[in-house]
Amino acid sequence: MEINDLTPAEQQVWRAFSTGAAVDFLEGTAEDVAEGASWGPERTVRAAVLRALLLNGPQEPGEIAAVKLAGARITGVLDVRYGTSDFAIRLSHCHFDEVPLLYGARFRQLNLSDSVLPGLTAATVRVEGVLRLTGCRIRGPVRLGGAHIAGAIFMDRAELSAPDETVLELNHVTIGDDLWAPGLRTEGEVRLNGAEVAGSIRLNDARLERPGRAVLDAETLTVQGDVLMRKVRTRGWIGLRGARIGGRLELSHARLSNPGDAALRASSCTIGELWLRKGPPMEGDLNLRRAQIEVLFLEPQKLPTQVFLSDLVYTSLTPHVPAEHRLPMLERDGDGYVPHAYEQLATSYRRVGDDHAARMVQLAKQRRLRSTRAWYGRLWGYVQDATVGYGFRPLRAAVWLLSLLAIGSIAYALHHPHALKASEAPRFNPVFYTLDLLLPVISFGQEEAFAPDGWYQYLAYALIITGWILATTVVTGVTRTVSRQ
């Protein structure tokens, strides 16, 4: 392309390229780039001119060539597919009439900050430095699948809209640093399936909307650092199935909303720390099936009305609150009675030395199990619960035994049973006679020597049956405690 074929605006850009000088057509900081379609020829640059500069622009010895353009209207399609450019590119505050085609291209650095575009097609693009989309307003899909970005991707304050499709496609992208996107606004699905991020993902204060469908689908995502989503607001579900997050997944002050379905799907994932704290409860389900979490920072008031915790494993559970504040979480499990969830919670309490809370959880587990059994199993469960609390409240057995011992001793003291063999019978003792009836193993020689009659005989039967029940439940509780230890 010859310089004589260029407009005055294009000539200015062409001459500035060889020295990396900036060309700024902006008429003030308050100018709205969204109105760029009405900008005149004095600030209009054809995409073909930029393509020629990027692929084979003039250079001067000792100078670093670059495209640095601001406040321009770019007409036509910027088609650099499979091209290689060794120059830095900064097209900020520009208005693109057509979707740039950067598929398979290679750049040193690409900066489109604060520009307005109808979309961006840049799958498998390679950038040696950083990719900046800060403050961009893009009314169409952004396709970056398979891209390799050696540095970071900056998308802070960007606004992306494609409500009926994937608005931001980052499938299998490789990012050498952070994905920096605080304040991001999206209408449509953000996809990070199979992406690898060496740094962290920052989505603080983001607003992600796609009601009833996925707003962020990050299946098998790998992040070496943190995924920070403080004060994020979503309408739709977040999917992290099979993701691996080495640091912290933080959802402090987040407002997640997807009524009637899951708001957060994090099944089969591995997370260093999961923070669900502050802010209102989720509007939608929480799915943590088969997840492995080192530190689960979960405030009870943050929980939704339904959770899925089957095979969830966590090493530490904070903050430390009484067991009765945690048990509703297990009662809300959409899979019904999940024994592993109770064992996991009890283990976390034992790990910090709170044996009382661990026993409360184990007792709640037995009560929940009772509700799943047939009527006769439930009846036996009620007996064990009322007598010794399934063995987790052994003092109840002592109270029952002392009460029955007092009743029996008084009854038989007032009415001595007759001796079977008066010549051989020992002296009658109402206390030890009652103990003989209550304790199924120990014998004091009273029960075999005396025989009550009338209703006192039925009292003896009741004491024998009650003694066996108490002994069985105590042995069951002791056995359960020993097996846990």
Side-chain angles (χ1 to χ4, degrees):
M1 180 173 289
E2 299 294 335
I3 194 170
N4 295 332
D5 299 330
L6 306 179
T7 65
E10 292 170 345
Q11 290 181 12
Q12 186 176 351
V13 175
W14 191 277
R15 293 190 180 97
F17 171 79
S18 59
T19 60
V23 177
D24 190 350
F25 292 124
L26 284 173
E27 296 179 353
T29 57
E31 190 173 23
D32 189 357
V33 180
E35 299 176 357
S38 62
W39 292 344
E42 71 282 357
R43 55 192 303 184
T44 298
V45 177
R46 288 172 293 169
V49 176
L50 296 177
R51 182 181 187 275
L53 287 174
L54 294 176
L55 299 181
N56 193 25
Q59 299 184 56
E60 292 186 15
E63 299 291 345
I64 301 175
V67 173
K68 297 180 181 178
L69 177 61
R73 176 188 178 187
I74 300 175
T75 60
V77 179
L78 180 57
D79 188 349
V80 197
R81 286 177 291 181
Y82 302 106
T84 298
S85 178
D86 295 327
F87 314 114
I89 307 166
R90 187 179 72 197
L91 301 172
S92 62
H93 298 87
C94 290
H95 185 282
F96 289 77
D97 286 357
E98 303 289 341
V99 177
L101 301 179
L102 310 180
Y103 185 94
R106 294 172 178 261
F107 300 108
R108 175 173 295 178
Q109 182 173 317
L110 181 59
N111 186 344
L112 301 175
S113 296
D114 298 297
S115 293
V116 174
L117 305 91
L120 177 62
T121 300
T124 69
V125 69
R126 291 180 177 268
V127 180
E128 296 177 10
V130 300
L131 171 60
R132 291 186 181 272
L133 299 174
T134 297
C136 282
R137 284 173 283 177
I138 305 178
R139 300 294 179 259
V142 177
R143 297 187 172 94
L144 290 166
H148 288 257
I149 313 298
I153 296 181
F154 292 91
M155 303 189 72
D156 42 311
R157 300 180 291 102
E159 298 178 11
L160 314 180
S161 178
D164 298 325
E165 54 186 313
T166 302
V167 67
L168 176 59
E169 184 176 334
L170 291 167
N171 290 345
H172 304 288
V173 69
T174 301
I175 303 174
D177 202 336
D178 292 347
L179 172 55
W180 183 276
L184 176 68
R185 303 288 188 271
T186 65
E187 292 183 54
E189 180 181 359
V190 177
R191 304 195 71 182
L192 280 160
N193 294 346
E196 297 183 8
V197 181
S200 298
I201 296 177
R202 301 175 186 269
L203 288 167
N204 299 331
D205 295 296
R207 303 290 183 268
L208 312 177
E209 294 195 9
R210 199 182 185 217
R213 293 180 286 181
V215 291
L216 175 59
D217 190 358
E219 186 173 325
T220 67
L221 167 71
T222 300
V223 181
Q224 301 297 326
D226 303 324
V227 177
L228 304 179
M229 303 179 72
R230 301 189 197 102
K231 299 182 180 180
V232 70
R233 293 190 179 186
T234 64
R235 294 177 60 200
W237 54 268
I238 296 175
L240 295 169
R241 184 179 182 276
R244 294 180 177 272
I245 301 172
R248 181 171 77 252
L249 171 58
E250 182 173 352
L251 289 160
S252 300
H253 300 278
R255 294 176 178 266
L256 308 184
S257 177
N258 191 36
D261 200 353
L264 176 60
R265 303 177 181 181
S267 59
S268 303
C269 63
T270 303
I271 303 174
E273 300 182 18
L274 173 57
W275 286 24
L276 289 169
R277 55 186 292 272
K278 306 299 181 183
M282 291 185 193
E283 296 180 19
D285 303 338
L286 171 63
N287 186 345
L288 295 176
R289 290 189 183 110
R290 300 176 300 280
Q292 297 186 30
I293 303 171
E294 286 295 320
V295 178
L296 179 56
F297 196 136
L298 176 59
E299 294 183 347
Q301 61 269 25
K302 189 70 177 178
L303 285 170
T305 55
Q306 183 167 257
V307 298
F308 296 91
L309 307 176
S310 178
D311 295 321
L312 166 66
V313 177
Y314 48 87
T315 302
S316 173
L317 178 63
T318 58
H320 184 76
V321 296
E324 53 266 26
H325 294 173
R326 294 291 187 191
L327 289 173
M329 171 178 69
L330 310 185
E331 295 166 0
R332 298 175 189 178
D333 201 307
D335 292 326
Y337 170 60
V338 180
H340 175 80
Y342 286 89
E343 291 296 333
Q344 180 66 62
L345 181 57
T347 299
S348 70
Y349 277 119
R350 283 195 294 270
R351 187 175 288 112
V352 296
D354 193 343
D355 292 332
H356 172 72
R359 288 193 298 270
M360 290 287 293
V361 175
Q362 291 286 352
L363 178 57
K365 174 189 174 185
Q366 294 302 319
R367 289 172 173 169
R368 186 75 182 276
L369 174 61
R370 180 178 67 206
S371 66
T372 66
R373 291 178 168 170
W375 67 268
Y376 47 85
R378 292 197 299 273
L379 180 61
W380 175 240
Y382 282 119
V383 171
Q384 292 188 81
D385 196 357
T387 53
V388 292
Y390 287 98
F392 295 104
R393 293 178 176 174
L395 288 179
R396 282 188 181 181
V399 174
W400 278 102
L401 286 171
L402 290 174
S403 300
L404 293 172
L405 178 61
I407 293 172
S409 299
I410 293 172
Y412 292 116
L414 296 175
H415 183 84
H416 290 193
H418 65 272
L420 294 176
K421 294 181 180 181
S423 60
E424 300 178 4
R427 182 180 177 182
F428 179 75
N429 186 309
V431 175
F432 285 98
Y433 180 75
T434 305
L435 284 174
D436 252 352
L437 296 175
L438 284 173
L439 302 179
V441 178
I442 301 174
S443 175
F444 295 99
Q446 294 281 317
E447 182 182 0
E448 295 84 358
F450 299 93
D453 53 13
W455 74 270
Y456 294 99
Q457 183 176 4
Y458 293 105
L459 175 60
Y461 293 155
L463 291 174
I464 292 172
I465 294 172
T466 307
W468 274 104
I469 291 174
L470 288 173
T472 302
T473 52
V474 169
V475 169
T476 301
V478 171
T479 302
R480 187 184 297 117
T481 302
V482 172
S483 65
R484 287 198 309 271
Q485 293 175 349

